[in-house]
Amino acid sequence: MLDFIISKYNYWIYIILMMIGFYAMIGKKNLVKKIIGINIFQTAIILFFISTAAKRGGTLPIIEHGHGHGAHAIEAASYVNPLPHVLMLTAIVVMVSTLGVALAIVIAIYRRYNTLEEDEILEKRKWSRNLLF
Amino acid sequence: MVPQSPVLVVVIPLIFAFLALLFGWWRKGLCYPITLVAVSISFLASLCTLHTVITTGTIHYHLGNWAPPWGIEYVVDHLNAFVLAIVSFISVVVAISSKRSVEQELPDKIVYFYCMFLLQVTGLLGIVATGDMFNLYVFLEIASLAGYALIAIGEEGAPFASFNYLIFGTIGACFYLLGVGYLYVITGSLNMADLSQALPNLYHSKVVLVAFAFFLVGVSLKMALFPLHVWLPDAYTYAPSAVSSLLAPLMTKVGAYVMIRLMFTVFKPYFSIELIPVTAILGWIAAGAILFGALMALAQIDLKRMLTYILVSEVGYIALGVGLANRAGLTGAILHILNDAFMMLALFLVVGAIMYRSGKREIPQLRYLHRKMPFTMATFVIAALSVIGIPPTCGFFSKWYLILGAIDASRWVFVAVLLVSSLLNVILFFRVIENAYLEPDEEHAGGGSELAIATEEAPLTMLMPILIAGAGIMLFGVLSGKIISTIIQFAVPQCF
Amino acid sequence: MEIVVSIRPLLAVLVTLIGALLIVFTGERHRNVREFWTILASVLKFAIVISMVPFVLRGRILEYTIISLTPGVSLQFRVDNFGLFFGVLASALWIATSVYSIGYVRGLNEHAQTRYFFNFALCLSATMGIAFAGNLLTLFIFYEMLTVATYPLVAHKETEDAIMGGRKYLAYTLIAGVVILFSIIFIYTLTGTLDFKPGGFLLGRAPSATLILLFSMLILGFGVKAALMPMHEWLPTAMVAPTPVSALLHAVAVVKAGVFGCLRIILYVFGPALLHELNLWLILAYFAAFTVIVSGMYALAQDNLKRRLAFSTINNLAIIVMGAALLTPSAITGSIFHMGSHGFMKITLFFVAGAIYVKTHKENVSELDGLGRQMPLTMGAFAIGAMGVAGTPPICGFISKWYLAMGSLEAKEVVFLFVLLTSALMDVAYFFPIIFNSFFKSPAEAINPHFDEAPLKMVVPLMITAIISLILGIFPNGFFNFFNIASMAAARILGGM
């Protein structure tokens, strides 16, 4: 059992991080805490991808000699898998943009309601409309 | 014809988004024409693509000439091309109608609006055109982020609704990303065609199973399939008119397209139907969505909110078609993508026009509207008849195929659900129609009393799109047979 | 059986559609032009329909396919005897109703006249579509269009009652529509085709239980518009509509479309052979007979003239269905012919009710004493129509009732003969007092004892329809070979060509 946990430790770490982030997104009432939760959630996924790219004894995936310096075969096994890294660069950009948009929206909310607690905002919204839904 | 047409469809709005921003800073009035030019070119390219696909078959376009599976490729087959044409046409129509409402609702944000609008369109088109899993994630996030921003600039309550949508949408997109990651871990490929070859040997693996689960939940969140639809009513009600007219017909349909792609192209139909009976469960969830949407809509006083719940119900129809997993059901689902896009377009454009002219959108306030806005209300009636499913509007034909599929699969409960929902829709729409058209006897002589909503007919840039949408509903109804025999017949996976 | 491809059925439907658009765009400001469009469209439509009669009499069928809707089923018009009969009936009566409508609407200075004429034109397009439909799907499409087009007419007055009447009408007809849709799709899954064939096409296609269920659902569905009991409730409530609406729609177009649908199902989808095999014909005949008797009894109890006429309509519609259910040559001929003869007679009666309302604002039978002195032409026409409905020679109702009686003897079920006789007696019982009181009792206070008729535009149409009823009774083929068309239809159904 212990063996099972230890051999797949990267997956366990990412899952625990992801659940922490997920809980923060949903369970916390403060909007900024939710945003932090989003960040943790997305970071966990990025961590997962990167961890699948790692190899024991693998080195950075940068080829010393570039084009035309005598093409020689590359031993793929000695380099860390570069593709997930590339994908995650994109994902990090997405994460940062989401963070930016979320913070902009939160500023707009703060300007309007003067609070960042979700339950207070819902209270204020209930008073401003007298409809059913 | 033009070999680059699949890429042009996506790239033109992207480039023009930045052009709109640049030129907009120089002169605000240029944004609208630039947007129109961008979506029009994109639409023409999509028509070109559709024509090529109909005449010669699936298009494979390798971006940067890198061969898959190393490079990203755009694969456009019948299903793709069909949805591309729908998305780009609706963007054109909404772009035309957006001018007046944006000027009225967001006078100081016109430049940013059009930039975001074009980015949103790019994202949606990219999701549909691409044949690479991660590329789909990228475009999905582009579309989503643009969507969050567009919704947040709406009226009172919009930022909070958008924030809620952001949370849900991020969960959905991240689940999709996780699914892609799991598939990559086990197959080493991100290309859809490649995956569909590599996966069948791995169907027994738990990794694939979990990936599939993540995909379905993520896509259902984006598609607003009950019970993951919670973000939709608030978000689309408080958004600006042009935004809800753009997003309501398109976002959920593109999500449905992704679901069909994943379930039947990437994962073979055998997996989705027999190995793991997802379609059976999906059918029941869809039936729930149909009834839930209709019933919740009954409780609404705000017309726009009522329409958002009807949208939830319509997504249920498409999901039901997928869940029936036979030829008739899938034909109905894909046809309904077209029909629902136009119906929602017409309905939301009408509400936008009413809001523009009068600022009111609660049903009891819409009295005698047919006097002042006859064409708008006439289109509303046509769209209502289509949602109810009265021939010869297009909604009848997708219902025909869905019921046919349900009878073929001997799912009598679903048949009953489909028929009952038609009747529920009658009640929903005739509430509005009675209010707008019928006046008690005493009011006649005075030519409308103080209760009458004071408006006049919508301006031309809003009226033309409304009429186009209404005409489309009638036209696509009569032409259903042609559409099915030329396009949809080939879009449904062969094994059905 | 030769098939001729001809665009005439499509033209017949389109004429009034284009007319409707012209009416909307002409609007209230140019009333006379708008009325001109209505009359022009109706006359043109009648001309187109009549031009198809020679073809059909010679045994040919006119066909026109517009577009394929789904594999095996197209939007297709096919004009056969039965369809042409209904088409001639509806288009002829529409000319009369158009003139009458103009008189009625102007006489009462009604509101929303443009909407009224627009919807009227749409209804007629839909009715022509129903008459000339070549398969169940085309029929259903126009059937639903008819529902949608008639709703604004039923709710026209926009009073509380009118709105409730409209809602009830919609509820009944749309629920029926849903039931019919399910049955149509089910038949499509069984056979892959929906085309009408004389003698039916469902024989041997499915287990008996399924067929019986389908038949019941279809009869219940179409029976709503045909006002078979217990689905008849919407019809008396819909009498809140203006009288021309009641006259054309609820004496001719809507209810006859319902009966037309029922007969198509009985004769052209299921067919005599299948119905005999399942023994459904007898059950249906009894079901219809029940409506005949009960509606007659209801009619006796009504004081409001239009409601009395409504129940009389329900009575006659059930007689038509009963006759068709008997499945013998005379019964089917009589049933189809009764569609026509009842149409002419009932429309006369409704026209009279409207004329009385416009002139004297009276709605109840008890108030009509002595009216014959003031309006002899109107009440004379009423007498002709009423005696015809009761089956008195030489009015056309006698001919249809005669054939129906012969049909019940041919079917060897004498019960139905008694049902027919009873209904005739009840007809006399509720019509005769009206005639007697109006001519032979001394006038009530509001009645003018001297000649003071309703407006000319109302009196002329009702007299014309009354006279036609009389002529049809003496020369059944006098009106464009009406009778021959009906009997040929019956022969073809039973001959199973």
Side-chain angles (χ1 to χ4, degrees):
Chain A
M1 181 63 200
L2 206 57
D3 197 37
F4 175 63
I5 296 180
I6 293 196
S7 66
K8 303 201 191 300
Y9 68 95
N10 61 329
Y11 296 111
W12 283 106
I13 290 178
Y14 114 77
I15 289 175
I16 293 174
L17 268 180
M18 193 168 87
M19 288 299 117
I20 293 176
F22 196 58
Y23 169 71
M25 277 163 87
I26 299 193
K28 291 288 179 189
K29 293 210 173 30
N30 187 303
L31 295 185
V32 176
K33 287 188 186 168
K34 284 181 192 268
I35 295 179
I36 297 177
I38 294 179
N39 257 22
I40 299 177
F41 188 74
Q42 289 177 311
T43 309
I45 297 177
I46 293 174
L47 202 59
F48 160 66
F49 267 81
I50 304 289
S51 68
T52 60
K55 289 183 197 163
R56 194 164 285 137
T59 177
L60 294 171
I62 299 176
I63 302 177
E64 254 190 63
H65 307 287
H67 287 284
H69 271 246
H72 46 88
I74 315 260
E75 226 189 282
S78 57
Y79 293 99
V80 167
N81 189 349
L83 184 60
H85 288 257
V86 164
L87 300 181
M88 288 308 104
L89 279 175
T90 312
I92 291 174
V93 170
V94 169
M95 185 171 95
V96 171
S97 337
T98 311
L99 179 64
V101 174
L103 286 174
I105 295 177
V106 164
I107 292 178
I109 294 178
Y110 187 73
R111 275 206 204 115
R112 174 69 188 79
Y113 298 107
N114 243 342
T115 171
L116 284 178
E117 300 292 326
E118 190 187 15
D119 41 3
E120 287 177 27
I121 296 176
L122 283 173
E123 266 305 303
K124 292 195 180 180
R125 298 205 59 222
K126 218 187 289 184
W127 285 115
S128 71
R129 319 176 284 158
N130 48 4
L131 300 173
L132 301 163
F133 288 94
Chain B
M1 284 152 47
V2 178
Q4 287 90 7
S5 52
V7 162
L8 281 178
V9 181
V10 180
V11 162
I12 295 280
L14 182 62
I15 298 177
F16 274 74
F18 297 108
L19 286 180
L21 196 58
L22 286 176
F23 282 101
W25 271 330
W26 171 41
R27 194 167 291 178
K28 241 171 32 166
L30 282 180
C31 283
Y32 179 65
I34 289 180
T35 311
L36 274 185
V37 168
V39 288
S40 309
I41 299 180
S42 176
F43 174 57
L44 287 172
S46 74
L47 278 182
C48 183
T49 314
L50 185 62
H51 178 82
T52 314
V53 169
I54 293 180
T55 46
T56 58
T58 310
I59 303 179
H60 293 264
Y61 184 85
H62 303 158
L63 282 176
N65 247 338
W66 290 98
W70 297 281
I72 296 177
E73 69 166 341
Y74 280 6
V75 180
V76 184
D77 62 0
H78 290 261
L79 178 62
N80 252 353
F82 185 55
V83 181
L84 265 182
I86 297 173
V87 173
S88 52
F89 183 66
I90 291 189
S91 350
V92 172
V93 175
V94 175
I96 297 177
S97 93
S98 65
K99 178 165 192 274
R100 292 295 194 119
S101 65
V102 169
E103 279 170 10
Q104 189 192 57
E105 292 177 18
L106 319 160
D108 44 345
K109 300 187 180 120
I110 295 186
V111 178
Y112 308 116
F113 173 84
Y114 281 111
C115 176
M116 287 284 119
F117 184 93
L118 284 171
L119 283 176
Q120 170 79 49
V121 173
T122 308
L124 289 170
L125 290 169
I127 296 175
V128 179
T130 186
D132 180 282
M133 297 289 274
F134 190 76
N135 200 228
L136 202 149
Y137 170 72
V138 172
F139 280 113
L140 185 66
E141 283 292 42
I142 294 178
S144 306
L145 286 171
Y148 308 144
L150 281 173
I151 292 177
I153 53 180
E155 56 188 48
E156 170 78 39
F160 192 66
S162 177
F163 190 79
N164 217 8
Y165 178 26
L166 194 150
I167 305 253
F168 275 92
T170 309
I171 299 179
C174 288
F175 276 2
Y176 178 84
L177 183 59
L178 267 179
V180 173
Y182 274 64
L183 281 186
Y184 177 71
V185 163
I186 200 165
T187 59
S189 170
L190 292 169
N191 184 294
M192 285 186 195
D194 208 34
L195 281 172
S196 68
Q197 307 281 9
L199 278 174
N201 298 331
L202 299 164
Y203 279 162
H204 55 92
S205 149
K206 289 211 180 59
V207 181
V208 169
L209 182 59
V210 173
F212 191 58
F214 273 128
F215 279 135
L216 282 185
V217 176
V219 171
S220 302
L221 267 168
K222 281 297 179 185
M223 197 169 117
L225 182 62
F226 173 84
L228 300 170
H229 68 285
V230 203
W231 56 270
L232 192 132
D234 276 328
Y236 287 179
T237 307
Y238 300 119
S241 308
V243 172
S244 42
S245 308
L246 180 70
L247 288 178
L250 295 180
M251 190 74 208
T252 45
K253 311 302 166 302
V254 169
Y257 157 77
V258 174
M259 175 179 269
I260 296 178
R261 235 335 143 231
L262 285 171
M263 280 177 71
F264 296 124
T265 308
V266 177
F267 289 88
K268 290 288 176 213
Y270 162 69
F271 182 79
S272 310
I273 301 173
E274 279 148 37
L275 203 54
I276 305 178
V278 176
T279 46
I281 305 173
L282 192 60
W284 286 103
I285 294 180
I290 297 176
L291 289 176
F292 177 81
L295 289 172
M296 286 299 280
L298 275 175
Q300 304 306 321
I301 301 180
D302 184 332
L303 179 60
K304 205 170 177 188
R305 224 183 149 87
M306 182 183 107
L307 292 178
T308 59
Y309 279 107
I310 291 178
L311 182 59
V312 171
S313 185
E314 296 296 319
V315 170
Y317 283 116
I318 302 179
L320 183 64
V322 173
L324 286 172
N326 51 30
R327 180 152 275 264
L330 273 171
T331 310
I334 299 175
L335 188 62
H336 204 60
I337 291 181
L338 169 68
N339 293 340
D340 189 45
F342 271 85
M343 295 189 316
M344 287 297 135
L345 176 70
L347 289 171
F348 276 92
L349 281 178
V350 166
V351 174
I354 296 177
M355 272 292 285
Y356 177 77
R357 279 297 187 204
S358 70
K360 298 197 177 92
R361 53 166 202 251
E362 289 177 17
I363 297 179
Q365 293 173 327
L366 299 174
R367 298 190 72 93
Y368 325 140
L369 206 53
H370 79 288
R371 285 171 177 272
K372 302 290 178 58
M373 306 179 83
F375 290 106
T376 311
M377 287 314 291
T379 312
F380 184 84
V381 171
I382 294 179
L385 291 179
S386 184
V387 175
I388 295 172
I390 293 197
T393 58
C394 55
F396 169 72
F397 291 98
S398 31
K399 283 223 166 99
W400 171 276
Y401 278 97
L402 288 173
I403 297 179
L404 192 57
I407 294 182
D408 272 345
S410 298
R411 295 258 191 244
W412 306 109
V413 179
F414 295 157
V415 176
V417 166
L418 284 165
L419 295 174
V420 167
S421 72
S422 291
L423 297 173
L424 284 173
N425 287 330
V426 174
I427 304 178
L428 283 171
F429 281 104
F430 271 88
R431 265 195 319 167
V432 183
I433 294 179
E434 263 184 20
N435 238 339
Y437 274 95
L438 300 176
E439 324 165 19
D441 224 351
E442 321 87 57
E443 313 287 346
H444 296 141
S449 67
E450 326 77 50
L451 285 174
I453 191 170
T455 62
E456 47 182 61
E457 183 57 272
L460 202 62
T461 51
M462 296 185 92
L463 192 56
M464 287 313 309
I466 291 178
L467 292 177
I468 293 176
I473 294 178
M474 296 294 287
L475 200 62
F476 292 127
V478 180
L479 292 176
S480 305
K482 264 221 130 258
I483 296 177
I484 292 176
S485 59
T486 44
I487 306 175
I488 301 185
Q489 193 185 14
F490 305 109
V492 177
Q494 292 302 83
C495 58
F496 290 115
Chain C
M1 188 177 72
E2 224 185 291
I3 297 190
V4 176
V5 176
S6 161
I7 200 175
R8 285 175 225 228
L10 180 63
L11 283 179
V13 174
L14 281 182
V15 160
T16 29
L17 268 180
I18 299 175
L21 287 173
L22 285 170
I23 289 172
V24 160
F25 285 116
T26 316
E28 186 66 24
R29 271 166 295 144
H30 307 284
R31 282 174 155 202
N32 292 322
V33 181
R34 181 187 70 197
E35 261 65 302
F36 172 68
W37 295 131
T38 307
I39 306 279
L40 181 66
S42 63
V43 171
L44 269 180
K45 180 189 287 244
F46 185 63
I48 296 176
V49 171
I50 291 297
S51 74
M52 296 195 268
V53 172
F55 288 92
V56 171
L57 277 180
R58 252 175 272 145
R60 302 209 188 104
I61 292 187
L62 293 152
E63 203 176 81
Y64 191 77
T65 311
I66 301 180
I67 193 169
S68 164
L69 292 173
T70 189
V73 183
S74 343
L75 188 64
Q76 187 182 57
F77 292 121
R78 191 182 296 134
V79 185
D80 60 359
N81 304 63
F82 188 35
L84 187 62
F85 186 88
F86 186 37
V88 170
L89 176 69
S91 49
L93 288 176
W94 192 41
I95 302 180
T97 316
S98 302
V99 178
Y100 184 83
S101 282
I102 300 173
Y104 184 86
V105 153
R106 291 197 186 182
L108 285 179
N109 210 10
E110 282 273 354
H111 64 284
Q113 289 185 18
T114 308
R115 182 178 78 193
Y116 177 90
F117 286 109
F118 172 70
N119 283 113
F120 233 88
L122 279 183
C123 288
L124 256 301
S125 275
T127 314
M128 285 296 123
I130 295 176
F132 298 144
N135 55 45
L136 267 173
L137 182 56
T138 314
L139 184 86
F140 183 71
I141 292 179
F142 285 105
Y143 204 74
E144 295 289 274
M145 264 175 66
L146 185 63
T147 304
V148 171
T150 44
Y151 168 74
L153 290 173
V154 173
H156 178 84
K157 289 212 174 116
E158 293 171 12
T159 57
E160 273 295 314
D161 284 335
I163 296 184
M164 289 311 292
R167 279 193 199 161
K168 196 185 245 186
Y169 175 67
L170 266 187
Y172 271 84
T173 43
L174 286 177
I175 295 179
V178 152
V179 170
I180 296 175
L181 178 63
F182 171 68
S183 315
I184 293 180
I185 299 183
F186 201 88
I187 294 182
Y188 179 68
T189 53
L190 288 175
T191 63
T193 173
L194 292 172
D195 292 345
F196 291 127
K197 264 186 60 171
F201 63 89
L202 274 181
L203 189 59
R205 292 297 201 142
S208 303
T210 318
L211 286 174
I212 294 181
L213 180 67
L214 271 178
F215 186 71
S216 324
M217 288 182 80
L218 281 168
I219 292 293
L220 282 175
F222 282 106
V224 166
K225 278 225 178 86
L228 289 173
M229 288 183 170
M231 292 87 64
H232 68 287
E233 183 57 37
W234 63 274
L235 186 54
T237 319
M239 288 296 134
V240 296
T243 310
V245 175
S246 307
L248 182 69
L249 269 25
H250 303 126
V252 179
V254 170
V255 295
K256 288 287 158 44
V259 170
F260 184 80
C262 282
L263 261 57
R264 278 284 194 211
I265 298 292
I266 299 172
L267 303 168
Y268 289 84
V269 174
F270 279 79
L274 182 57
L275 288 176
H276 272 292
E277 190 183 299
L278 297 172
N279 275 325
L280 280 175
W281 64 281
L282 198 56
I283 303 177
L284 181 61
Y286 273 110
F287 185 62
F290 173 76
T291 304
V292 173
I293 304 287
V294 174
S295 58
M297 294 183 341
Y298 266 102
L300 282 169
Q302 302 297 321
D303 192 28
N304 183 306
L305 180 59
K306 275 172 71 173
R307 282 182 77 95
R308 187 173 283 200
L309 292 177
F311 279 103
S312 165
T313 304
I314 299 175
N315 181 306
N316 280 281
L317 295 171
I319 290 178
I320 296 175
V321 174
M322 189 176 84
L326 289 175
L327 298 173
T328 68
S330 307
I332 299 179
T333 310
S335 163
I336 298 178
F337 190 71
H338 198 58
M339 271 178 71
S341 55
H342 173 253
F344 279 104
M345 297 184 296
K346 201 34 92 39
I347 211 174
T348 312
L349 297 177
F350 270 102
F351 280 170
V352 168
I356 294 177
Y357 183 71
V358 165
K359 194 66 198 168
T360 65
H361 287 278
K362 290 193 187 309
E363 297 180 329
N364 293 327
V365 171
S366 47
E367 299 167 339
L368 298 178
D369 292 353
L371 200 55
R373 307 268 174 83
Q374 181 183 350
M375 307 169 71
L377 293 172
T378 309
M379 295 314 292
F382 187 91
I384 296 180
M387 299 320 283
V389 171
T392 321
I395 307 168
C396 51
F398 170 69
I399 298 188
S400 39
K401 290 244 166 107
W402 175 265
Y403 272 87
L404 286 167
M406 286 218 313
S408 57
L409 286 175
E410 279 175 13
K412 302 196 183 49
E413 296 285 339
V414 191
V415 176
F416 301 109
L417 184 58
F418 284 118
V419 168
L420 284 169
L421 287 174
T422 317
S423 98
L425 281 173
M426 286 198 282
D427 286 330
V428 173
Y430 56 72
F431 280 134
F432 190 67
I434 305 178
I435 305 172
F436 185 80
N437 289 350
S438 62
F439 279 108
F440 295 112
K441 277 230 178 119
S442 44
E445 326 83 56
I447 308 261
N448 185 346
H450 303 293
F451 184 88
D452 187 13
E453 271 288 3
L456 206 64
K457 281 206 202 66
M458 298 175 76
V459 172
V460 170
L462 62 89
M463 284 187 62
I464 292 182
T465 49
I467 294 174
I468 293 183
S469 311
L470 201 53
I471 295 179
L472 263 182
I474 308 173
F475 302 107
N477 275 318
F479 189 71
F480 299 103
N481 285 297
F482 226 32
F483 187 76
N484 278 344
I485 303 178
S487 60
M488 278 176 73
R492 187 162 285 167
I493 295 166
L494 290 167
M497 273 170 70

